[in-house]
Coordinates of all heavy atoms in Angstrom, one line a residue:
M249 N 136.5 109.4 125.5 CA 136.3 108.9 126.8 C 137.6 109.0 127.6 O 138.6 108.6 127.1 CB 135.7 107.6 126.9 CG 134.7 107.4 128.0 SD 134.3 105.6 128.3 CE 133.2 105.4 126.9
K250 N 137.5 109.4 128.9 CA 138.7 109.4 129.7 C 139.2 108.0 130.0 O 138.5 107.1 130.0 CB 138.5 110.2 131.0 CG 138.3 111.7 130.7 CD 138.3 112.4 132.0 CE 139.5 112.2 132.9 NZ 140.0 113.5 133.4
K251 N 140.5 107.9 130.4 CA 141.1 106.6 130.6 C 140.4 105.8 131.7 O 140.1 104.6 131.5 CB 142.6 106.8 130.9 CG 143.3 105.5 130.9 CD 144.8 105.8 131.1 CE 145.5 104.5 131.5 NZ 145.6 104.4 133.0
D252 N 140.1 106.4 132.9 CA 139.5 105.7 133.9 C 138.1 105.1 133.5 O 137.7 104.1 134.0 CB 139.5 106.5 135.3 CG 138.7 107.8 135.1 OD1 138.6 108.3 134.0 OD2 138.2 108.3 136.2
K253 N 137.4 105.9 132.8 CA 136.1 105.5 132.4 C 136.2 104.4 131.3 O 135.4 103.4 131.3 CB 135.3 106.7 131.7 CG 135.0 107.7 132.8 CD 134.1 108.8 132.2 CE 133.8 109.8 133.3 NZ 132.9 110.9 132.8
K254 N 137.2 104.5 130.4 CA 137.4 103.5 129.4 C 137.7 102.2 130.1 O 137.2 101.1 129.7 CB 138.6 103.9 128.5 CG 138.3 103.8 127.1 CD 139.5 104.2 126.3 CE 139.2 105.0 125.1 NZ 140.3 105.7 124.5
Q255 N 138.6 102.2 131.1 CA 139.0 101.1 131.8 C 137.8 100.4 132.6 O 137.5 99.2 132.6 CB 140.0 101.5 132.8 CG 140.8 100.3 133.3 CD 141.9 100.7 134.3 OE1 141.7 101.7 135.0 NE2 143.0 100.0 134.4
E256 N 137.0 101.3 133.2 CA 135.8 100.8 133.9 C 134.8 100.2 132.9 O 134.3 99.1 133.2 CB 135.1 102.0 134.6 CG 134.0 101.5 135.4 CD 133.6 102.3 136.6 OE1 134.5 103.1 137.0 OE2 132.5 102.2 137.1
F257 N 134.7 100.7 131.7 CA 133.8 100.1 130.8 C 134.3 98.8 130.3 O 133.6 97.8 130.2 CB 133.6 101.1 129.6 CG 132.7 100.5 128.5 CD1 131.3 100.4 128.8 CD2 133.2 100.1 127.3 CE1 130.5 99.8 127.9 CE2 132.3 99.5 126.4 CZ 130.9 99.4 126.7
A258 N 135.6 98.7 130.1 CA 136.2 97.4 129.7 C 135.9 96.3 130.7 O 135.6 95.2 130.4 CB 137.7 97.6 129.5
I259 N 136.0 96.7 132.0 CA 135.7 95.7 133.0 C 134.2 95.3 133.1 O 133.9 94.2 133.2 CB 136.2 96.3 134.4 CG1 137.7 96.4 134.4 CG2 135.8 95.3 135.5 CD1 138.3 97.1 135.5
L260 N 133.4 96.4 133.0 CA 132.0 96.1 132.9 C 131.6 95.1 131.8 O 130.8 94.2 132.0 CB 131.3 97.5 132.7 CG 129.7 97.3 132.6 CD1 129.1 97.0 133.9 CD2 129.1 98.7 132.1
K261 N 132.3 95.3 130.6 CA 132.0 94.5 129.5 C 132.4 93.0 129.8 O 131.7 92.1 129.5 CB 132.8 95.0 128.3 CG 132.4 94.4 127.0 CD 132.9 95.2 125.8 CE 132.7 94.5 124.5 NZ 133.9 94.1 123.9
K262 N 133.6 92.8 130.4 CA 134.0 91.5 130.8 C 133.0 90.8 131.7 O 132.6 89.6 131.5 CB 135.3 91.5 131.5 CG 136.5 91.8 130.6 CD 137.8 91.5 131.3 CE 138.9 91.6 130.3 NZ 139.7 92.9 130.6
F263 N 132.4 91.6 132.6 CA 131.4 91.0 133.6 C 130.2 90.6 132.8 O 129.6 89.5 133.0 CB 131.1 92.0 134.6 CG 132.1 92.0 135.8 CD1 133.4 92.3 135.6 CD2 131.7 91.6 137.1 CE1 134.4 92.3 136.7 CE2 132.6 91.6 138.1 CZ 133.9 91.9 137.9
V264 N 129.7 91.5 132.0 CA 128.5 91.2 131.2 C 128.7 90.1 130.3 O 127.8 89.2 130.2 CB 128.0 92.5 130.4 CG1 126.8 92.2 129.6 CG2 127.7 93.7 131.4
E265 N 129.8 90.0 129.7 CA 130.1 88.8 128.8 C 130.0 87.5 129.5 O 129.3 86.6 129.0 CB 131.5 89.0 128.2 CG 131.5 89.7 126.8 CD 132.9 90.1 126.5 OE1 133.9 89.7 127.0 OE2 133.0 91.0 125.5
V266 N 130.6 87.4 130.6 CA 130.5 86.1 131.4 C 129.1 85.8 131.7 O 128.6 84.7 131.5 CB 131.4 86.2 132.7 CG1 131.1 85.1 133.6 CG2 132.9 86.2 132.3
Y267 N 128.4 86.8 132.2 CA 127.0 86.6 132.6 C 126.2 86.1 131.5 O 125.4 85.2 131.5 CB 126.5 87.8 133.3 CG 125.1 87.6 133.9 CD1 125.0 87.2 135.2 CD2 123.9 87.9 133.1 CE1 123.7 87.0 135.8 CE2 122.7 87.7 133.7 CZ 122.6 87.2 135.0 OH 121.3 87.0 135.6
C268 N 126.3 86.9 130.4 CA 125.5 86.6 129.2 C 125.9 85.2 128.6 O 125.0 84.4 128.3 CB 125.8 87.6 128.1 SG 124.7 87.5 126.7
N269 N 127.1 84.9 128.6 CA 127.5 83.5 128.0 C 126.9 82.4 128.9 O 126.5 81.4 128.3 CB 129.1 83.4 128.1 CG 129.8 84.2 127.0 OD1 131.0 84.1 127.0 ND2 129.0 84.8 126.1
H270 N 126.8 82.6 130.1 CA 126.4 81.5 131.0 C 124.9 81.5 131.2 O 124.3 80.5 131.5 CB 127.0 81.6 132.4 CG 128.5 81.3 132.4 ND1 129.3 81.2 133.5 CD2 129.3 81.2 131.4 CE1 130.5 80.9 133.2 NE2 130.6 80.9 131.9
H271 N 124.2 82.6 131.0 CA 122.8 82.7 131.2 C 121.9 82.8 130.0 O 120.7 82.4 130.0 CB 122.4 83.8 132.1 CG 122.9 83.7 133.6 ND1 124.2 83.9 134.0 CD2 122.2 83.2 134.7 CE1 124.2 83.7 135.3 NE2 123.1 83.2 135.7
H272 N 122.5 83.2 129.0 CA 121.7 83.4 127.7 C 122.2 82.6 126.6 O 121.8 82.9 125.4 CB 121.7 84.9 127.4 CG 121.2 85.8 128.6 ND1 121.8 87.0 128.8 CD2 120.3 85.6 129.5 CE1 121.2 87.5 129.9 NE2 120.3 86.7 130.3
G273 N 123.1 81.6 126.8 CA 123.5 80.7 125.8 C 124.2 81.5 124.6 O 124.1 81.0 123.5
T274 N 125.1 82.4 125.0 CA 125.8 83.2 123.9 C 127.2 82.9 124.0 O 128.0 83.8 123.6 CB 125.5 84.7 124.0 OG1 125.9 85.1 125.4 CG2 124.1 85.1 123.7
N275 N 127.6 81.7 124.4 CA 129.0 81.4 124.6 C 129.9 81.7 123.3 O 129.7 81.0 122.3 CB 129.2 79.9 124.9 CG 130.3 79.8 125.9 OD1 131.1 80.7 126.1 ND2 130.4 78.6 126.6
G276 N 130.8 82.7 123.4 CA 131.6 82.9 122.3 C 131.0 83.7 121.1 O 131.7 83.8 120.1
E277 N 129.7 84.0 121.2 CA 129.1 84.6 120.1 C 128.7 86.1 120.3 O 127.7 86.5 119.8 CB 127.9 83.8 119.8 CG 128.1 82.4 119.2 CD 126.9 81.5 119.1 OE1 125.8 82.1 119.2 OE2 127.0 80.3 119.2
G278 N 129.4 86.7 121.2 CA 129.0 88.1 121.6 C 127.8 88.1 122.5 O 127.6 87.1 123.2
L279 N 127.2 89.2 122.6 CA 126.1 89.3 123.6 C 124.7 89.3 123.0 O 124.5 89.5 121.8 CB 126.2 90.7 124.3 CG 127.6 90.9 125.0 CD1 127.6 92.4 125.5 CD2 127.8 90.0 126.2
C280 N 123.7 88.9 123.8 CA 122.4 88.9 123.4 C 121.9 90.4 123.4 O 122.6 91.2 123.9 CB 121.5 88.0 124.3 SG 121.2 88.7 125.9
D281 N 120.7 90.6 122.8 CA 120.2 92.0 122.7 C 120.0 92.6 124.0 O 120.4 93.8 124.2 CB 118.8 91.9 122.0 CG 118.9 91.6 120.5 OD1 120.1 91.6 120.0 OD2 117.9 91.3 119.9
Q282 N 119.6 91.9 125.0 CA 119.3 92.4 126.3 C 120.6 92.9 126.9 O 120.7 94.0 127.5 CB 118.7 91.3 127.2 CG 118.2 91.7 128.5 CD 118.0 90.5 129.5 OE1 117.6 89.4 129.0 NE2 118.2 90.8 130.7
C283 N 121.6 92.1 126.8 CA 122.9 92.5 127.4 C 123.6 93.6 126.7 O 124.3 94.4 127.2 CB 123.8 91.2 127.6 SG 123.2 90.0 128.7
N284 N 123.5 93.6 125.3 CA 124.0 94.6 124.5 C 123.4 95.9 124.9 O 124.0 97.0 125.0 CB 123.7 94.4 123.0 CG 124.9 93.8 122.3 OD1 126.0 94.2 122.6 ND2 124.6 93.0 121.4
D285 N 122.1 95.9 125.2 CA 121.3 97.1 125.6 C 121.8 97.5 127.0 O 122.1 98.7 127.1 CB 119.8 96.6 125.7 CG 119.0 97.8 126.0 OD1 119.1 98.8 125.3 OD2 118.1 97.7 126.9
L286 N 122.0 96.7 127.9 CA 122.5 97.0 129.2 C 123.9 97.6 129.2 O 124.2 98.6 129.8 CB 122.5 95.7 130.1 CG 123.0 95.9 131.5 CD1 121.9 96.7 132.3 CD2 123.1 94.5 132.2
L287 N 124.8 97.0 128.3 CA 126.1 97.5 128.2 C 126.1 98.9 127.6 O 126.9 99.8 128.0 CB 126.9 96.5 127.3 CG 128.4 96.6 127.4 CD1 128.9 96.3 128.9 CD2 129.0 95.6 126.5
A288 N 125.3 99.1 126.6 CA 125.1 100.4 125.9 C 124.7 101.5 126.9 O 125.1 102.6 127.0 CB 124.2 100.4 124.8
Y289 N 123.8 101.1 127.8 CA 123.3 101.9 128.8 C 124.4 102.3 129.9 O 124.6 103.4 130.2 CB 122.1 101.3 129.6 CG 121.5 102.2 130.6 CD1 120.6 103.2 130.2 CD2 121.7 102.0 131.9 CE1 120.0 104.0 131.1 CE2 121.1 102.8 132.9 CZ 120.3 103.8 132.5 OH 119.7 104.7 133.4
G290 N 125.1 101.3 130.2 CA 126.2 101.5 131.1 C 127.2 102.4 130.6 O 127.8 103.3 131.3
N291 N 127.5 102.3 129.3 CA 128.5 103.1 128.6 C 128.0 104.6 128.6 O 128.8 105.5 128.9 CB 128.6 102.7 127.2 CG 129.7 103.4 126.4 OD1 130.7 103.7 127.0 ND2 129.5 103.6 125.1
Q292 N 126.8 104.8 128.3 CA 126.1 106.1 128.4 C 126.2 106.7 129.8 O 126.5 107.9 129.9 CB 124.7 105.9 127.9 CG 124.0 107.1 127.5 CD 122.5 106.8 127.3 OE1 121.7 106.5 128.3 NE2 122.0 106.8 126.1
R293 N 125.9 105.9 130.8 CA 126.0 106.4 132.2 C 127.4 106.9 132.5 O 127.6 107.9 133.2 CB 125.6 105.4 133.2 CG 124.1 104.9 133.1 CD 123.2 106.1 133.5 NE 122.8 106.9 132.4 CZ 122.2 108.1 132.4 NH1 122.0 108.6 133.6 NH2 121.9 108.7 131.3
L294 N 128.4 106.1 132.1 CA 129.8 106.4 132.4 C 130.1 107.7 131.7 O 130.8 108.6 132.3 CB 130.7 105.3 131.8 CG 131.1 104.1 132.7 CD1 131.9 103.1 132.0 CD2 131.8 104.7 134.0
E295 N 129.8 107.8 130.4 CA 130.0 109.0 129.6 C 129.5 110.3 130.3 O 130.1 111.3 130.3 CB 129.5 108.9 128.2 CG 130.1 107.9 127.4 CD 130.9 108.5 126.3 OE1 131.5 109.6 126.5 OE2 130.9 107.9 125.2
K296 N 128.3 110.1 130.9 CA 127.6 111.2 131.5 C 127.9 111.5 133.0 O 127.4 112.4 133.5 CB 126.1 111.0 131.3 CG 125.7 111.1 129.8 CD 124.2 111.4 129.7 CE 123.9 111.7 128.3 NZ 122.8 111.0 127.7
C297 N 128.8 110.6 133.5 CA 129.1 110.8 134.9 C 129.7 112.2 135.2 O 130.7 112.6 134.5 CB 130.1 109.7 135.4 SG 130.6 109.9 137.1
P298 N 129.0 113.0 136.0 CA 129.5 114.3 136.3 C 130.7 114.5 137.1 O 131.2 115.6 137.3 CB 128.3 115.0 136.9 CG 127.6 113.9 137.7 CD 127.9 112.6 136.9
Y299 N 131.2 113.4 137.7 CA 132.3 113.5 138.6 C 133.6 113.3 137.9 O 133.8 112.4 137.1 CB 132.1 112.5 139.8 CG 130.9 112.8 140.5 CD1 129.8 111.9 140.3 CD2 130.7 113.9 141.3 CE1 128.6 112.1 141.0 CE2 129.5 114.1 142.0 CZ 128.4 113.2 141.8 OH 127.3 113.4 142.4
D300 N 134.6 114.0 138.4 CA 136.0 113.8 137.9 C 137.0 114.1 139.0 O 137.0 115.3 139.5 CB 136.2 114.8 136.7 CG 137.5 114.5 136.0 OD1 138.1 113.4 136.3 OD2 138.0 115.3 135.3
P301 N 137.7 113.1 139.5 CA 137.7 111.8 139.0 C 136.4 111.1 139.4 O 135.8 111.4 140.4 CB 139.0 111.2 139.7 CG 139.1 112.0 141.0 CD 138.7 113.4 140.7
K302 N 136.1 110.0 138.7 CA 134.9 109.3 138.9 C 135.0 108.5 140.1 O 136.0 107.8 140.3 CB 134.6 108.4 137.7 CG 133.3 107.8 137.7 CD 133.2 106.7 136.6 CE 132.0 105.8 137.0 NZ 132.3 105.1 138.3
P303 N 134.1 108.6 141.1 CA 134.1 107.7 142.3 C 133.7 106.3 141.9 O 133.1 106.1 140.8 CB 133.1 108.3 143.2 CG 132.1 109.0 142.3 CD 132.8 109.4 141.0
K304 N 133.9 105.4 142.8 CA 133.4 104.0 142.6 C 131.9 104.1 142.6 O 131.3 104.8 143.4 CB 133.8 103.1 143.7 CG 135.3 102.6 143.6 CD 135.7 101.9 144.8 CE 136.2 102.8 145.9 NZ 136.6 102.1 147.2
C305 N 131.2 103.4 141.7 CA 129.8 103.6 141.6 C 129.1 103.2 142.9 O 128.1 103.8 143.3 CB 129.2 102.7 140.5 SG 129.5 103.4 138.8
K306 N 129.6 102.3 143.6 CA 129.0 101.8 144.8 C 129.1 102.9 146.0 O 128.3 102.9 146.8 CB 129.5 100.5 145.3 CG 130.9 100.4 145.9 CD 131.3 99.0 146.3 CE 132.7 98.9 146.8 NZ 133.0 99.6 148.1
D307 N 130.0 103.8 145.8 CA 130.2 104.9 146.8 C 129.4 106.1 146.4 O 129.5 107.1 147.1 CB 131.6 105.2 147.1 CG 132.4 104.0 147.7 OD1 131.7 103.2 148.3 OD2 133.6 104.0 147.6
C308 N 128.9 106.1 145.2 CA 128.5 107.4 144.6 C 127.0 107.7 145.2 O 126.2 106.8 145.4 CB 128.4 107.1 143.1 SG 127.9 108.7 142.3
E309 N 126.8 109.0 145.4 CA 125.5 109.4 145.9 C 124.5 109.6 144.8 O 123.3 109.7 145.1 CB 125.6 110.6 146.7 CG 126.3 110.4 148.1 CD 126.6 111.7 148.9 OE1 126.1 112.7 148.4 OE2 127.3 111.6 149.8
T310 N 125.0 109.7 143.6 CA 124.1 109.9 142.5 C 123.7 108.5 142.0 O 124.5 107.8 141.3 CB 124.7 110.7 141.3 OG1 125.3 111.8 141.9 CG2 123.7 111.0 140.3
Y311 N 122.4 108.2 142.1 CA 122.0 106.8 141.6 C 121.6 107.1 140.1 O 120.4 107.4 139.9 CB 120.8 106.3 142.4 CG 121.3 105.9 143.8 CD1 120.8 106.4 144.9 CD2 122.2 104.8 143.9 CE1 121.2 106.0 146.2 CE2 122.7 104.5 145.2 CZ 122.2 105.0 146.3 OH 122.6 104.6 147.5
C312 N 122.6 107.0 139.3 CA 122.3 107.4 137.9 C 121.7 106.2 137.1 O 121.1 106.4 136.1 CB 123.6 107.9 137.2 SG 124.9 106.8 137.0
Y313 N 121.9 105.0 137.6 CA 121.3 103.9 136.9 C 119.8 103.8 137.2 O 119.4 103.9 138.4 CB 121.9 102.5 137.3 CG 123.2 102.2 136.5 CD1 124.3 103.0 136.7 CD2 123.2 101.2 135.7 CE1 125.5 102.6 136.0 CE2 124.3 100.8 135.0 CZ 125.5 101.6 135.2 OH 126.6 101.2 134.4
R314 N 119.0 103.6 136.2 CA 117.6 103.4 136.5 C 117.4 102.1 137.2 O 118.2 101.2 137.0 CB 116.8 103.3 135.1 CG 116.2 104.6 134.7 CD 115.4 104.5 133.4 NE 116.2 104.5 132.2 CZ 115.9 103.8 131.1 NH1 114.8 103.2 131.0 NH2 116.8 104.0 130.1
P315 N 116.4 102.0 138.1 CA 116.2 100.8 139.0 C 116.4 99.5 138.3 O 117.0 98.6 138.7 CB 114.9 101.0 139.6 CG 114.6 102.4 139.6 CD 115.3 103.0 138.4
K316 N 115.7 99.4 137.1 CA 115.8 98.1 136.4 C 117.2 97.7 136.0 O 117.6 96.6 136.2 CB 114.9 98.2 135.1 CG 115.0 97.1 134.1 CD 114.3 95.8 134.6 CE 114.4 94.7 133.6 NZ 115.7 94.0 133.7
Y317 N 117.9 98.7 135.5 CA 119.3 98.4 135.1 C 120.2 98.2 136.3 O 121.1 97.3 136.2 CB 119.8 99.6 134.2 CG 119.3 99.6 132.8 CD1 118.3 100.5 132.5 CD2 119.8 98.8 131.8 CE1 117.7 100.5 131.2 CE2 119.3 98.9 130.6 CZ 118.3 99.8 130.2 OH 117.8 99.8 129.0
R318 N 119.9 98.9 137.3 CA 120.8 98.8 138.5 C 120.7 97.4 139.0 O 121.6 96.8 139.5 CB 120.3 99.8 139.6 CG 121.4 100.0 140.6 CD 121.2 101.3 141.3 NE 120.1 101.4 142.2 CZ 119.2 102.3 142.3 NH1 119.3 103.4 141.5 NH2 118.3 102.3 143.2
Q319 N 119.4 96.9 139.1 CA 119.2 95.5 139.5 C 119.9 94.5 138.7 O 120.6 93.6 139.2 CB 117.7 95.2 139.5 CG 117.3 94.0 140.3 CD 117.7 94.1 141.7 OE1 117.7 95.1 142.4 NE2 118.3 92.9 142.2
D320 N 119.8 94.7 137.4 CA 120.6 93.7 136.5 C 122.0 93.8 136.7 O 122.7 92.8 136.8 CB 120.2 94.1 135.0 CG 118.8 93.8 134.6 OD1 118.1 93.1 135.5 OD2 118.3 94.2 133.5
I321 N 122.6 95.0 136.8 CA 124.0 95.2 136.9 C 124.5 94.5 138.2 O 125.5 93.8 138.3 CB 124.4 96.7 137.0 CG1 124.3 97.2 135.5 CG2 125.8 96.8 137.5 CD1 125.5 96.9 134.6
K322 N 123.7 94.7 139.3 CA 124.0 94.1 140.6 C 124.2 92.6 140.5 O 125.1 92.0 141.0 CB 123.0 94.5 141.6 CG 123.5 95.3 142.8 CD 122.3 95.8 143.6 CE 122.4 95.4 145.0 NZ 121.3 96.0 145.8
E323 N 123.2 92.0 139.8 CA 123.1 90.6 139.6 C 124.3 90.1 138.8 O 125.0 89.1 139.2 CB 121.8 90.3 138.8 CG 121.4 88.8 138.8 CD 121.1 88.3 140.3 OE1 120.6 89.0 141.1 OE2 121.5 87.1 140.5
I324 N 124.6 90.8 137.8 CA 125.8 90.5 136.9 C 127.1 90.6 137.7 O 127.9 89.7 137.6 CB 125.8 91.4 135.7 CG1 124.6 91.0 134.8 CG2 127.1 91.3 134.9 CD1 124.4 92.0 133.6
M325 N 127.2 91.6 138.5 CA 128.5 91.8 139.2 C 128.6 90.7 140.3 O 129.7 90.2 140.4 CB 128.4 93.2 140.0 CG 128.5 94.4 139.1 SD 130.3 94.4 138.4 CE 130.0 95.5 137.1
K326 N 127.5 90.3 140.9 CA 127.6 89.2 141.9 C 128.0 87.9 141.2 O 128.9 87.2 141.7 CB 126.2 89.1 142.5 CG 126.3 88.7 144.0 CD 124.9 88.9 144.6 CE 124.1 87.7 144.5 NZ 122.7 87.8 145.0
Y327 N 127.4 87.6 140.1 CA 127.6 86.3 139.5 C 129.0 86.3 138.8 O 129.8 85.4 139.1 CB 126.6 86.1 138.4 CG 126.9 84.8 137.6 CD1 126.4 83.6 138.2 CD2 127.6 84.8 136.4 CE1 126.7 82.4 137.5 CE2 127.9 83.6 135.8 CZ 127.5 82.4 136.3 OH 127.8 81.3 135.7
S328 N 129.3 87.3 138.1 CA 130.6 87.3 137.4 C 131.8 87.5 138.3 O 132.9 87.0 138.1 CB 130.6 88.4 136.3 OG 129.6 88.1 135.3
G329 N 131.5 88.3 139.3 CA 132.5 88.5 140.4 C 133.0 87.2 141.0 O 134.2 86.9 141.0
M330 N 132.0 86.3 141.3 CA 132.3 85.0 141.9 C 133.1 84.2 140.8 O 134.0 83.5 141.2 CB 131.1 84.3 142.3 CG 130.5 84.6 143.6 SD 131.7 84.8 144.9 CE 132.2 83.1 145.0
H331 N 132.6 84.2 139.6 CA 133.3 83.5 138.5 C 134.8 83.9 138.4 O 135.6 83.0 138.3 CB 132.6 83.9 137.2 CG 133.2 83.3 136.0 ND1 132.9 82.0 135.5 CD2 134.1 83.9 135.1 CE1 133.7 81.8 134.4 NE2 134.3 82.9 134.2
F332 N 135.1 85.1 138.4 CA 136.5 85.5 138.3 C 137.3 85.2 139.6 O 138.4 84.8 139.5 CB 136.6 87.0 138.0 CG 136.1 87.4 136.6 CD1 135.2 88.4 136.4 CD2 136.6 86.8 135.5 CE1 134.8 88.7 135.2 CE2 136.3 87.1 134.2 CZ 135.3 88.1 134.0
V333 N 136.7 85.3 140.7 CA 137.4 84.9 141.9 C 137.8 83.4 141.9 O 138.9 83.0 142.2 CB 136.5 85.2 143.2 CG1 137.1 84.5 144.4 CG2 136.4 86.7 143.4
K334 N 136.8 82.6 141.4 CA 137.0 81.1 141.3 C 138.2 80.9 140.4 O 138.9 79.9 140.5 CB 135.8 80.4 140.9 CG 134.8 80.1 142.0 CD 133.7 79.3 141.5 CE 132.4 79.6 142.2 NZ 131.2 79.4 141.4
R335 N 138.3 81.6 139.3 CA 139.3 81.4 138.3 C 140.6 82.2 138.7 O 141.5 82.3 137.9 CB 138.8 81.9 137.0 CG 138.1 80.8 136.3 CD 137.1 81.3 135.4 NE 136.0 80.3 135.4 CZ 135.9 79.4 134.3 NH1 136.7 79.5 133.3 NH2 134.9 78.5 134.3
G336 N 140.6 82.8 139.9 CA 141.8 83.5 140.2 C 142.0 84.8 139.6 O 143.1 85.4 139.6
R337 N 141.0 85.3 138.9 CA 141.1 86.6 138.2 C 140.7 87.7 139.1 O 139.9 88.6 138.7 CB 140.3 86.6 136.9 CG 140.8 85.6 135.9 CD 142.4 85.7 135.6 NE 142.8 87.1 135.3 CZ 142.9 87.6 134.1 NH1 142.7 86.9 133.0 NH2 143.3 88.9 134.0
I338 N 141.2 87.7 140.3 CA 140.7 88.8 141.2 C 141.4 90.2 140.8 O 141.0 91.2 141.4 CB 140.9 88.5 142.7 CG1 142.4 88.1 142.9 CG2 139.9 87.5 143.1 CD1 142.7 88.0 144.4
D339 N 142.4 90.2 139.9 CA 143.0 91.5 139.6 C 141.9 92.4 139.0 O 142.0 93.6 139.3 CB 144.2 91.3 138.6 CG 143.8 90.4 137.5 OD1 143.0 89.5 137.6 OD2 144.4 90.6 136.4
W340 N 141.0 91.8 138.2 CA 140.0 92.7 137.7 C 139.1 93.3 138.8 O 138.7 94.4 138.8 CB 139.1 92.0 136.7 CG 139.7 91.7 135.4 CD1 140.8 92.3 134.9 CD2 139.4 90.6 134.5 NE1 141.1 91.7 133.7 CE2 140.3 90.7 133.5 CE3 138.4 89.6 134.5 CZ2 140.3 89.8 132.4 CZ3 138.4 88.7 133.5 CH2 139.3 88.8 132.4
L341 N 138.8 92.4 139.7 CA 137.9 92.8 140.8 C 138.5 93.9 141.6 O 138.0 94.9 142.0 CB 137.6 91.6 141.7 CG 136.6 90.7 141.2 CD1 136.3 89.6 142.2 CD2 135.3 91.3 140.8
I342 N 139.8 93.7 141.9 CA 140.5 94.7 142.7 C 140.5 96.0 142.0 O 140.3 97.1 142.5 CB 142.0 94.2 143.0 CG1 141.8 93.0 144.1 CG2 142.8 95.3 143.6 CD1 143.1 92.2 144.2
E343 N 140.8 95.9 140.7 CA 140.8 97.2 139.9 C 139.5 97.9 140.0 O 139.3 99.1 140.1 CB 141.0 96.8 138.4 CG 142.5 97.1 137.9 CD 142.6 96.7 136.5 OE1 142.0 97.4 135.6 OE2 143.3 95.8 136.2
Y344 N 138.4 97.0 139.9 CA 137.1 97.6 139.8 C 136.7 98.2 141.2 O 136.1 99.2 141.3 CB 136.1 96.6 139.4 CG 134.8 97.2 139.0 CD1 134.6 97.7 137.7 CD2 133.7 97.3 139.9 CE1 133.5 98.3 137.4 CE2 132.5 97.9 139.5 CZ 132.4 98.4 138.3 OH 131.2 99.0 137.9
F345 N 136.9 97.4 142.2 CA 136.3 97.8 143.5 C 137.2 98.6 144.4 O 136.8 99.2 145.3 CB 135.9 96.5 144.3 CG 134.7 95.9 143.6 CD1 134.8 94.7 142.9 CD2 133.5 96.5 143.6 CE1 133.7 94.1 142.3 CE2 132.4 95.9 142.9 CZ 132.5 94.7 142.3
A346 N 138.5 98.5 144.2 CA 139.5 99.2 145.1 C 140.0 100.5 144.6 O 140.9 101.1 145.3 CB 140.6 98.2 145.5
R347 N 139.6 100.9 143.5 CA 140.1 102.1 143.0 C 139.7 103.3 143.8 O 138.6 103.4 144.3 CB 139.6 102.4 141.5 CG 140.8 102.2 140.6 CD 140.4 102.3 139.1 NE 139.0 102.0 138.9 CZ 138.1 102.9 138.4 NH1 138.5 104.1 138.2 NH2 136.9 102.6 138.1
Ligands
ZN51 ZN1 122.6 88.2 127.6

């Protein structure tokens, strides 16, 4: 996987982890099946992204996430985004959204 995609996946993973820990009672124990599934799907989408360099997903015209997953990811980004902002970890957000 290319570096920018790898980095994007690492950030996605952090977001999903926070969300899963807080909503699915998996604190410190990895992810639940649902979130593992979502992350695997996100990984697959990243791998298959036809653009190089990859645009920010929110600016992309190709809606490559299936609606169900897209909805879930949106929810996770919103929740975990706030979580990181509150903890002063906006460096991840800036990396993710300002690239
Ligand atoms: Zn979960």
